[in-house]
Amino acid sequence: MARKKSTAAKTPPADIGLIGLAVMGQNLILNMADHGYTVAVYNRTSSKVDDFIASAKASEPSAGRLVGCKSLKKFVSSIKRPRKIVLLVKAGWATDATIESVVPYLEKGDIIIDGGNALWTDTIRREQELTAKGLRFIGSGVSGGETGARFGPSLMPGGSKEAWKELEPIWKAISAKVDRKTGRPIEVDTPGQVAKGGEPCTVHIGENGAGHYVKMVHNGIEYIDMQLICEAYMLMKNLLGMKPDAMSEVFAGWNEGDLDSYLIEITADILQQKDPMNKRRFLVDSVLDTAGQKGTGKWTSTSALDLGIPANAIAEAVFARCLSAIKEERVSASKQLRGPKAPRLPMSKAKAIEAIREALYCSKICAYAQGFQLMAEAAREYDWKLDFGKIAKIFRGGCIIRARFLQKITEAYKADRRLQNLMLDPYFKKALHGGQGNWRSVVTMATNAGVPIPAFSSALAYFDGYRTAVLPANLLQAQRDYFGAHTFERTDKPRGQFFHVDWPEPGRPISKS
């Protein structure tokens, strides 16, 4: 007697799905598979699915957990309910188009996770639109580049807590891990290998666009962090006449101390690399001095302007990239505009290197202070409840700005959850007081020699401006009242009372509004 075929519905095989097979998407898929999750895979260009699956089978131990799908219908039906679908496509219109194409196949309660570098206001809008359709939406920052996506990124999810609970086990499994006692990253760099123990570098950031906002500020901090390192490099090159391999040794030494970070580490590595096309040169000397950008640094600066937060060092890092882009103009100007004659170095080379190190560290403190101050103001603006200690924690591993320094920020906010500015924490205040002498010497040396260090200089201006009780804005406000009757407050009256005077005839009585 023939056995009857079972009519019971088969359980979909995939725990989660991902759309978008650029390098970040591929690596995140393999990361999830390494951690035991079966992943449905879809790309608009179906040949990419075939190529990716074939490549994974040839080299990846977890390739058996990948489910290649040629159609959106098959892709969605292959994922367990409530479905969790990660999008790793270009931010903007491409994200909207992908959401629009997948929504008709979804059911109430399914979750879309946008892992791209989305503008946070787009994330707020998308969540509202999808909530109206009975769907859930998470905007999650993903930081760490290709290697981070493969072996453990820092993940910054924003959205409802209910949606986060569904995603939390997967995000905690695949995120970078740090040692619970020291905060140091637990390194993983082999396919199939997973970090055991440790604290995951992910946490629920807040509602709607909070995750993408924090990721954006992370990128803004990344801009200034990189610019500061580049200025330290330029000072050693132009003032001290050091060669790349000698600078590499300096950066490697700095990476053993307070400046220990991923960006310092890779800088040391970059500076010792010989040019494969000309072995007598270092590769860094063959790289054209024009920097690209994808927009998140500009978004951070624009948001700071909109919210009235003085993130001048972050903005200066964006402008430095813009200035680098006008290469031909700079080359022409260099033949017409003269700078100062190179002055004699006022200290020994060893002392100058130490001064640059301290200037870099102090500037870094100011840059992070600006980033966290901006997040605090955004939290008030958008009614987010951001925990800055937890945010600093998840920056310690996986992400581009990961650094030993972030353990100190974690401790600062643990000691004082209401810390008004990072510079006011006892540890950072002591570091700024101890390092400002060398910091000022470096800015002076660079200025006298005509070496542009906009990030060092703007960070110092921020420090001096923040610690100054009386700024010249009294004259500025008087000017505004003179030409535009914009009114002013008085030092001898309560805040909130505004006055105007007819300046051309100062004898006339003051009017109060």
Side-chain angles (χ1 to χ4, degrees), residues 66-80:
L66 308 182
V67 180
C69 303
K70 298 292 187 66
S71 70
L72 271 174
K73 183 177 181 180
K74 180 185 176 183
F75 169 76
V76 172
S77 65
S78 69
I79 305 168
K80 297 174 185 175

PDB file of all heavy atoms in Angstrom, residues 66-80:
ATOM      1  N   LEU A  66      22.980  28.329   3.755  1.00  0.00           N
ATOM      2  CA  LEU A  66      22.528  29.386   2.853  1.00  0.00           C
ATOM      3  C   LEU A  66      21.441  28.865   1.928  1.00  0.00           C
ATOM      4  O   LEU A  66      21.560  27.778   1.368  1.00  0.00           O
ATOM      5  CB  LEU A  66      23.701  29.918   2.026  1.00  0.00           C
ATOM      6  CG  LEU A  66      24.951  30.343   2.803  1.00  0.00           C
ATOM      7  CD1 LEU A  66      26.003  30.893   1.844  1.00  0.00           C
ATOM      8  CD2 LEU A  66      24.611  31.368   3.878  1.00  0.00           C
ATOM      9  N   VAL A  67      20.383  29.648   1.765  1.00  0.00           N
ATOM     10  CA  VAL A  67      19.265  29.281   0.901  1.00  0.00           C
ATOM     11  C   VAL A  67      19.172  30.330  -0.205  1.00  0.00           C
ATOM     12  O   VAL A  67      18.708  31.455   0.024  1.00  0.00           O
ATOM     13  CB  VAL A  67      17.940  29.211   1.681  1.00  0.00           C
ATOM     14  CG1 VAL A  67      16.794  28.813   0.745  1.00  0.00           C
ATOM     15  CG2 VAL A  67      18.046  28.262   2.856  1.00  0.00           C
ATOM     16  N   GLY A  68      19.635  29.990  -1.403  1.00  0.00           N
ATOM     17  CA  GLY A  68      19.598  30.930  -2.513  1.00  0.00           C
ATOM     18  C   GLY A  68      18.210  31.016  -3.120  1.00  0.00           C
ATOM     19  O   GLY A  68      17.557  29.992  -3.337  1.00  0.00           O
ATOM     20  N   CYS A  69      17.744  32.225  -3.380  1.00  0.00           N
ATOM     21  CA  CYS A  69      16.391  32.425  -3.907  1.00  0.00           C
ATOM     22  C   CYS A  69      16.442  33.314  -5.145  1.00  0.00           C
ATOM     23  O   CYS A  69      17.092  34.366  -5.142  1.00  0.00           O
ATOM     24  CB  CYS A  69      15.498  33.071  -2.849  1.00  0.00           C
ATOM     25  SG  CYS A  69      15.392  32.129  -1.301  1.00  0.00           S
ATOM     26  N   LYS A  70      15.741  32.898  -6.194  1.00  0.00           N
ATOM     27  CA  LYS A  70      15.735  33.645  -7.451  1.00  0.00           C
ATOM     28  C   LYS A  70      14.559  34.617  -7.564  1.00  0.00           C
ATOM     29  O   LYS A  70      14.540  35.467  -8.443  1.00  0.00           O
ATOM     30  CB  LYS A  70      15.682  32.664  -8.629  1.00  0.00           C
ATOM     31  CG  LYS A  70      16.885  31.736  -8.723  1.00  0.00           C
ATOM     32  CD  LYS A  70      18.136  32.503  -9.093  1.00  0.00           C
ATOM     33  CE  LYS A  70      19.301  31.552  -9.347  1.00  0.00           C
ATOM     34  NZ  LYS A  70      19.111  30.707 -10.524  1.00  0.00           N
ATOM     35  N   SER A  71      13.566  34.467  -6.698  1.00  0.00           N
ATOM     36  CA  SER A  71      12.415  35.366  -6.747  1.00  0.00           C
ATOM     37  C   SER A  71      12.103  35.857  -5.338  1.00  0.00           C
ATOM     38  O   SER A  71      12.397  35.171  -4.346  1.00  0.00           O
ATOM     39  CB  SER A  71      11.185  34.656  -7.317  1.00  0.00           C
ATOM     40  OG  SER A  71      10.704  33.690  -6.401  1.00  0.00           O
ATOM     41  N   LEU A  72      11.490  37.032  -5.250  1.00  0.00           N
ATOM     42  CA  LEU A  72      11.121  37.571  -3.950  1.00  0.00           C
ATOM     43  C   LEU A  72      10.076  36.701  -3.268  1.00  0.00           C
ATOM     44  O   LEU A  72      10.095  36.522  -2.048  1.00  0.00           O
ATOM     45  CB  LEU A  72      10.579  38.998  -4.113  1.00  0.00           C
ATOM     46  CG  LEU A  72      11.611  40.134  -4.063  1.00  0.00           C
ATOM     47  CD1 LEU A  72      10.932  41.461  -4.378  1.00  0.00           C
ATOM     48  CD2 LEU A  72      12.285  40.204  -2.699  1.00  0.00           C
ATOM     49  N   LYS A  73       9.177  36.135  -4.064  1.00  0.00           N
ATOM     50  CA  LYS A  73       8.131  35.293  -3.488  1.00  0.00           C
ATOM     51  C   LYS A  73       8.736  34.080  -2.793  1.00  0.00           C
ATOM     52  O   LYS A  73       8.390  33.747  -1.648  1.00  0.00           O
ATOM     53  CB  LYS A  73       7.162  34.842  -4.581  1.00  0.00           C
ATOM     54  CG  LYS A  73       5.988  34.022  -4.062  1.00  0.00           C
ATOM     55  CD  LYS A  73       5.027  33.682  -5.191  1.00  0.00           C
ATOM     56  CE  LYS A  73       3.836  32.870  -4.666  1.00  0.00           C
ATOM     57  NZ  LYS A  73       2.887  32.528  -5.766  1.00  0.00           N
ATOM     58  N   LYS A  74       9.680  33.424  -3.474  1.00  0.00           N
ATOM     59  CA  LYS A  74      10.331  32.260  -2.865  1.00  0.00           C
ATOM     60  C   LYS A  74      11.167  32.686  -1.662  1.00  0.00           C
ATOM     61  O   LYS A  74      11.198  32.005  -0.629  1.00  0.00           O
ATOM     62  CB  LYS A  74      11.220  31.566  -3.895  1.00  0.00           C
ATOM     63  CG  LYS A  74      11.937  30.338  -3.317  1.00  0.00           C
ATOM     64  CD  LYS A  74      12.896  29.723  -4.304  1.00  0.00           C
ATOM     65  CE  LYS A  74      13.660  28.555  -3.648  1.00  0.00           C
ATOM     66  NZ  LYS A  74      14.665  27.968  -4.560  1.00  0.00           N
ATOM     67  N   PHE A  75      11.830  33.815  -1.798  1.00  0.00           N
ATOM     68  CA  PHE A  75      12.664  34.336  -0.716  1.00  0.00           C
ATOM     69  C   PHE A  75      11.836  34.530   0.549  1.00  0.00           C
ATOM     70  O   PHE A  75      12.185  34.041   1.627  1.00  0.00           O
ATOM     71  CB  PHE A  75      13.292  35.654  -1.169  1.00  0.00           C
ATOM     72  CG  PHE A  75      13.961  36.451  -0.089  1.00  0.00           C
ATOM     73  CD1 PHE A  75      15.195  36.074   0.406  1.00  0.00           C
ATOM     74  CD2 PHE A  75      13.355  37.594   0.432  1.00  0.00           C
ATOM     75  CE1 PHE A  75      15.828  36.821   1.404  1.00  0.00           C
ATOM     76  CE2 PHE A  75      13.973  38.341   1.418  1.00  0.00           C
ATOM     77  CZ  PHE A  75      15.217  37.953   1.905  1.00  0.00           C
ATOM     78  N   VAL A  76      10.730  35.237   0.435  1.00  0.00           N
ATOM     79  CA  VAL A  76       9.900  35.536   1.602  1.00  0.00           C
ATOM     80  C   VAL A  76       9.289  34.256   2.185  1.00  0.00           C
ATOM     81  O   VAL A  76       9.259  34.053   3.396  1.00  0.00           O
ATOM     82  CB  VAL A  76       8.799  36.552   1.239  1.00  0.00           C
ATOM     83  CG1 VAL A  76       7.807  36.717   2.379  1.00  0.00           C
ATOM     84  CG2 VAL A  76       9.423  37.900   0.878  1.00  0.00           C
ATOM     85  N   SER A  77       8.814  33.365   1.322  1.00  0.00           N
ATOM     86  CA  SER A  77       8.156  32.138   1.802  1.00  0.00           C
ATOM     87  C   SER A  77       9.133  31.178   2.474  1.00  0.00           C
ATOM     88  O   SER A  77       8.717  30.274   3.195  1.00  0.00           O
ATOM     89  CB  SER A  77       7.449  31.431   0.646  1.00  0.00           C
ATOM     90  OG  SER A  77       8.396  30.974  -0.315  1.00  0.00           O
ATOM     91  N   SER A  78      10.428  31.366   2.245  1.00  0.00           N
ATOM     92  CA  SER A  78      11.415  30.455   2.828  1.00  0.00           C
ATOM     93  C   SER A  78      11.859  30.863   4.231  1.00  0.00           C
ATOM     94  O   SER A  78      12.676  30.190   4.846  1.00  0.00           O
ATOM     95  CB  SER A  78      12.640  30.363   1.925  1.00  0.00           C
ATOM     96  OG  SER A  78      13.350  31.589   1.933  1.00  0.00           O
ATOM     97  N   ILE A  79      11.299  31.965   4.756  1.00  0.00           N
ATOM     98  CA  ILE A  79      11.737  32.485   6.057  1.00  0.00           C
ATOM     99  C   ILE A  79      10.669  32.220   7.116  1.00  0.00           C
ATOM    100  O   ILE A  79       9.476  32.409   6.883  1.00  0.00           O
ATOM    101  CB  ILE A  79      12.019  34.000   5.964  1.00  0.00           C
ATOM    102  CG1 ILE A  79      13.023  34.292   4.847  1.00  0.00           C
ATOM    103  CG2 ILE A  79      12.538  34.537   7.289  1.00  0.00           C
ATOM    104  CD1 ILE A  79      13.144  35.764   4.506  1.00  0.00           C
ATOM    105  N   LYS A  80      11.121  31.776   8.276  1.00  0.00           N
ATOM    106  CA  LYS A  80      10.211  31.507   9.393  1.00  0.00           C
ATOM    107  C   LYS A  80       9.496  32.784   9.835  1.00  0.00           C
ATOM    108  O   LYS A  80      10.062  33.867   9.797  1.00  0.00           O
ATOM    109  CB  LYS A  80      11.003  30.947  10.584  1.00  0.00           C
ATOM    110  CG  LYS A  80      11.688  29.608  10.328  1.00  0.00           C
ATOM    111  CD  LYS A  80      12.563  29.230  11.510  1.00  0.00           C
ATOM    112  CE  LYS A  80      13.352  27.951  11.212  1.00  0.00           C
ATOM    113  NZ  LYS A  80      14.300  27.610  12.299  1.00  0.00           N
TER     114      LYS A  80
END
